[in-house]
């Protein structure tokens, strides 16, 4: 059982569509991070959310941290082919950064 | 500023052999973490080193070991390789002093194939 459950695992959409990726847990986290990983590269940090209920925007990406700090979501507006990649959420537990299994996003032109 | 450098990028080994992977962190970063990434399990934490000391360890067998040198460079070793050890091994460095709780800067990984 994964400490952080991401859904969906795979998502294939057309350019211009909107999408939401979810990261859920039964545990409380002091913060959650979102990373994006492109093929052949390591993950790159997109954002860190710290406060329950916090909303952060990064261009067309909107990140939200649940009020209870157990879940987070990533919403992409008007997806573009350049958004294609593996999206990973991660939270600190026991001094370690634990990752969800990731959401593989494919945006077709 | 140079990023995290991992060598080798690709390698093929056979069962029973051992392998050593190297990681040079970003200059000034003292914390180095190692992760194993597979399609089925995702990113699994292996261990974290800070100032040449292992500070955290994941749930991997003793065949997986690591060390960190005084210049913060790190190596991980896997002995008696098994087919299931085939994976992308990612190294990440962090400037934080309190463990891998801040932003991690990842290398491109070392892809290990065990035949």
């Amino acid at each position: 059982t994964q400490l952080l459950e991401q859904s969906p695992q795979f998502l294939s959409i057309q350019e211009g569509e909107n999408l939401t990726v979810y990261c859920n847990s039964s545990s409380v986290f002091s913060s959650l991070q979102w990373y994006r990983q492109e093929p052949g590269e390591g993950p790159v940090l997109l954002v860190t959310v710290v406060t329950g209920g916090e909303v952060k925007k990064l261009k067309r990406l909107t990140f939200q941290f649940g009020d209870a700090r157990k879940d987070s979501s990533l919403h992409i507006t008007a997806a573009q082919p350049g958004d294609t990649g593996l999206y990973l959420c991660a939270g600190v537990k026991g001094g370690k950064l634990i990752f969800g299994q990731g959401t593989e996003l494919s945006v077709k032109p | 500023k140079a990023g995290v450098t991992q060598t080798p990028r690709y390698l093929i080994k056979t069962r029973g052999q051992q392998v050593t992977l190297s990681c040079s962190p970003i200059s000034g970063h003292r914390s180095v973490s190692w992760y194993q990434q597979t399609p089925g399990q995702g990113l699994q934490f292996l261990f974290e080193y800070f100032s040449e000391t292992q500070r955290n360890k994941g749930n991997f067998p003793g065949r997986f070991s690591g060390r960190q040198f005084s210049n913060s460079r790190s190596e991980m070793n896997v002995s008696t390789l098994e087919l299931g050890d085939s994976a992308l091994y990612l190294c990440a460095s962090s400037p934080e002093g309190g463990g891998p709780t801040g932003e991690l800067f990842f290398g491109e990984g070392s892809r290990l194939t065990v035949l």
Side-chain angles (χ1 to χ4, degrees), chain B residues 2 4 12 20 22 35 42 44-45 51 64 71 80 87 89 100 104 106:
Chain B
V4 177
I12 299 173
T20 298
S22 179
Y35 286 84
Q44 302 285 311
F45 175 78
S51 292
F64 292 81
N71 62 358
T80 320
Y89 290 88
L104 292 183
F106 283 88

Side-chain angles (χ1 to χ4, degrees), chain B residues 5-102:
Chain B
T5 304
Q6 291 188 244
T7 56
R9 289 291 313 279
Y10 304 91
L11 66 166
I12 299 173
K13 294 283 187 179
T14 57
R15 280 181 299 174
Q17 287 187 309
Q18 72 159 11
V19 66
T20 298
L21 308 177
S22 179
C23 172
S24 292
I26 292 172
S27 177
H29 287 192
R30 297 166 64 191
S31 171
V32 174
S33 300
W34 287 89
Y35 286 84
Q36 181 196 65
Q37 187 175 31
T38 59
Q41 298 296 318
L43 270 138
Q44 302 285 311
F45 175 78
L46 281 156
F47 25 66
E48 185 238 348
Y49 287 88
F50 181 78
S51 292
E52 301 178 66
T53 301
Q54 186 182 90
R55 237 178 358 187
N56 271 299
K57 190 176 188 306
N59 298 323
F60 278 82
R63 300 185 296 108
F64 292 81
S65 62
R67 58 179 175 168
Q68 186 180 33
F69 303 95
S70 58
N71 62 358
S72 293
R73 190 177 70 86
S74 178
E75 288 182 348
M76 67 162 284
N77 183 276
V78 188
S79 62
T80 320
L81 284 166
E82 301 176 0
L83 295 179
D85 297 332
S86 294
L88 180 67
Y89 290 88
L90 289 161
C91 166
S93 73
S94 168
E96 303 295 329
T101 57

Side-chain angles (χ1 to χ4, degrees), chain A residues 2 9 31 33 35 37 40-45 48 86 88 92 94-102, chain B residues 9 35 37 39-45 48 56-58 88 90 99-104 106-108:
Chain A
Q2 290 280 331
Q9 277 191 276
S31 65
Q33 299 177 359
Y35 288 78
Q37 183 177 18
E41 298 182 9
V44 175
L45 180 71
T48 301
L86 178 68
L88 297 152
V92 176
K96 310 164 195 173
L97 191 62
I98 307 299
F99 284 82
Q101 283 197 301
Chain B
R9 289 291 313 279
Y35 286 84
Q37 187 175 31
Q41 298 296 318
L43 270 138
Q44 302 285 311
F45 175 78
E48 185 238 348
N56 271 299
K57 190 176 188 306
L88 180 67
L90 289 161
T101 57
E103 176 180 3
L104 292 183
F106 283 88
E108 293 178 317

Side-chain angles (χ1 to χ4, degrees), chain A residues 2 4 17 22 33 39 42 53-54 56 67 69 76 80 94 98 102 105:
Chain A
Q2 290 280 331
L4 284 166
E17 292 183 16
Y22 298 94
Q33 299 177 359
E54 180 178 8
K56 278 191 174 178
D67 291 340
R69 306 205 321 274
I76 301 179
Q80 299 177 359
I98 307 299
L105 172 65

